[in-house]
Amino acid sequence: MSDTTTSDVDLVGDETTLNIARAALLAALTGAFAIVGSIPIPFSPVPFTLQVLGVFLAGLLLGPIWGAASMLLYLVAGAVGAPVFAGGSAGIGILAGQTGGYLFSYPIAAAAAGYLAHGGSELTDLRVIPSIRPLAGMTAAIVIIYALGTAQFAFVTDIGLVEALTLASLPFIPGDVFKMFIALVLIRSGSLNEHVLPK
Amino acid sequence: MTLVYRPGDSVAHRLDPRSKFAVQASFVVAAFVYTTPGGLVWLTALTGVLMAAADTSPIATIGELRYLAPFLVGAPVLQGLTLGTPWFVVADAVPPALASYRILLVLFVSAAYVRTTPVRASRAAIQRTVPGRFGRFLGVGVALVFRFLPLLQRDLARIRDAQRARLGRQRSIRDRARLLAVAGFNRAFRRADRLALALQARCFAWNPTLPPLRLGRRDLPALALAVGLSAAALYGAI
């Protein structure tokens, strides 16, 4: 009757538990920004969303490994049905669709931002390192996001790279550069709680 | 209302999540291989059958995907436009138009999956498909994302309400975005710290008990369809 099995409980270590919790929460926050975080801009059809800020800060605050893990959770959760993609959409169709390339690039972009900012996979105190390092990391992240995003947009939509760049990338780049400076202000000012910043 | 799971007793509700995922994935591949008018007619018919099996309304789905409209319509229009007479070349616009239609079909099929598959089942499917600790990390993490998404959305909505009540709309976009981000991240990290403590207190382990999943006889048609679509795609690609 009973199909119970016994096995040893394999506990997750303390630090890993905290990192899993933070990775999941940052993934969920990035998803929440996709809907609630949008601020309409006058005279622009493109709403201003803070999603990319989630990518930057996942890399900067969790480091390259857990930052990438967090964005991977975001993608998998979206693929199996959490409404975390732009406008509250979900499903494998979005990933295979026109804008999927931007999403696929998130784990790589977060890893690049974290690696360049911290100069490796060890976390450093972001308040004291030179600003150029997080800026270089986030610039690399933006380049990765737009390269992969534009390539998939052009391939899936069957249009030229120039048209894809015009339609799907150029209108968004100024906003993302702007978010890069917001992220920099956030990590420099200490306006995030001290427990957010690595010890 | 966004695309979410709805309980029900349709054919698709009773299938194993893994077979539904196989149908979805093979549909995507087939749609990419057969992006021709003839192929899309067949795929449209198949989409209709799948949505009926999942008891999912196409009209409601279109309503939920309306934010994609500028991209779906924009791509063929932009590709057709040329500088100088005749300004619009229809022949240039046809391939992107077919591609846009294909995307719409893929989105419909994935909407049917999302509507008919509970999160627990998806989590169990992930953990059983992806081996080892990595699969367990994905399973646990995805479940946590589902759990905390509505809470964090509510946090952000509250922060924005509070800003609005204090005439926050008169501030610059830069200030509004910064304040929203600071408060949003602080709350998320506070929740993460509490969650980690609660998980440790409850013996958070790599090997918890999962709900049972069973690939049964009723999954055979779905698996056959997935194999058929993959074979057709392979045939078309060669």
Side-chain angles (χ1 to χ4, degrees), chain A residues 7-18 20-29 31-33 35-42 48 50 53-54 57-58 61-62 66 69-70 72-74 76-94 96-99 153 155-160 163-164 166-168 172 178 182 185-186 191-193 195-196, chain B residues 2-5 21 24-25 28 32 64-65 67-68 70-72 74-76 78-79 81 92 95-97 99-100 102-103 106-107 110-111 113-114 117 119 122-123 126 133-134 136-142 144-146 148-149 152-154 156-157 160 173-178 180-193 195-197 199-200 203-207 214:
Chain A
S7 60
D8 290 330
V9 174
D10 183 7
L11 283 183
V12 180
D14 287 0
E15 206 184 315
T16 311
T17 304
L18 185 59
I20 290 177
R22 288 182 166 182
L25 267 283
L26 266 192
L29 186 66
F33 277 146
I35 313 170
V36 192
S38 69
I39 298 171
I41 303 175
F48 180 91
L50 292 174
L53 200 57
L57 288 174
L61 298 175
L62 302 181
W66 284 101
S70 169
L72 190 67
L73 283 183
Y74 170 77
V76 178
V80 300
V84 290
F85 300 147
S89 54
I92 202 170
I94 305 277
Q98 297 158 301
T99 52
F153 193 94
F155 174 71
V156 171
T157 324
D158 207 359
I159 62 175
E163 282 88 353
T166 316
L167 180 68
F172 297 88
F178 174 65
I182 291 183
V185 171
L186 287 186
S191 43
L192 293 177
N193 289 351
H195 69 140
V196 170
Chain B
T2 46
L3 283 173
V4 285
Y5 168 67
F21 212 78
Q24 244 195 113
V28 171
F32 270 81
E64 290 175 2
L65 298 170
Y67 79 98
L68 284 171
F71 295 108
L72 291 172
L78 196 70
Q79 188 76 6
L81 287 176
D92 282 357
S100 283
R102 167 186 71 196
I103 293 164
V106 170
L107 289 174
S110 74
Y113 174 85
V114 172
T117 315
V119 181
S122 287
R123 178 193 166 183
I126 292 173
R133 288 199 168 177
F134 183 66
R136 289 171 196 166
F137 162 73
L138 284 183
V140 172
V142 166
L144 289 177
V145 171
F146 271 95
F148 281 94
L149 183 67
L152 293 178
Q153 283 172 343
R154 211 178 55 199
L156 290 179
R160 293 185 65 185
I173 293 197
R174 181 178 176 278
D175 274 353
R176 280 158 68 187
R178 184 176 56 82
L180 183 65
V182 169
F185 277 99
N186 265 331
R187 288 194 188 198
F189 272 97
R190 230 175 282 145
R191 283 186 186 280
D193 289 350
L195 169 68
L197 194 63
L199 287 171
Q200 284 162 355
C203 293
F204 181 42
W206 286 114
N207 51 354
R214 198 162 291 153

Side-chain angles (χ1 to χ4, degrees), chain A:
Chain A
M1 174 63 210
S2 148
D3 52 357
T4 314
T5 55
T6 50
S7 60
D8 290 330
V9 174
D10 183 7
L11 283 183
V12 180
D14 287 0
E15 206 184 315
T16 311
T17 304
L18 185 59
N19 276 324
I20 290 177
R22 288 182 166 182
L25 267 283
L26 266 192
L29 186 66
T30 306
F33 277 146
I35 313 170
V36 192
S38 69
I39 298 171
I41 303 175
F43 311 115
S44 166
V46 182
F48 180 91
T49 76
L50 292 174
Q51 234 174 324
V52 173
L53 200 57
V55 182
F56 291 156
L57 288 174
L60 295 179
L61 298 175
L62 302 181
I65 295 164
W66 284 101
S70 169
M71 290 300 107
L72 190 67
L73 283 183
Y74 170 77
L75 294 186
V76 178
V80 300
V84 290
F85 300 147
S89 54
I92 202 170
I94 305 277
L95 288 174
Q98 297 158 301
T99 52
Y102 298 97
L103 298 169
F104 280 124
S105 71
Y106 283 0
I108 309 168
Y115 189 84
L116 291 177
H118 295 288
S121 51
E122 284 293 308
L123 291 185
T124 50
D125 189 338
L126 293 165
R127 286 166 296 187
V128 297
I129 58 170
S131 299
I132 188 75
R133 276 168 45 185
L135 275 180
M138 288 188 281
T139 308
I142 290 184
V143 171
I144 291 168
I145 292 172
Y146 283 101
L148 291 179
T150 309
Q152 179 161 342
F153 193 94
F155 174 71
V156 171
T157 324
D158 207 359
I159 62 175
L161 275 177
V162 177
E163 282 88 353
L165 202 65
T166 316
L167 180 68
S169 292
L170 290 182
F172 297 88
I173 288 178
D176 284 347
V177 172
F178 174 65
K179 278 166 234 172
M180 191 164 98
F181 284 98
I182 291 183
L184 189 68
V185 171
L186 287 186
I187 58 171
R188 302 301 284 191
S189 67
S191 43
L192 293 177
N193 289 351
E194 70 284 356
H195 69 140
V196 170
L197 295 160
K199 308 259 162 17

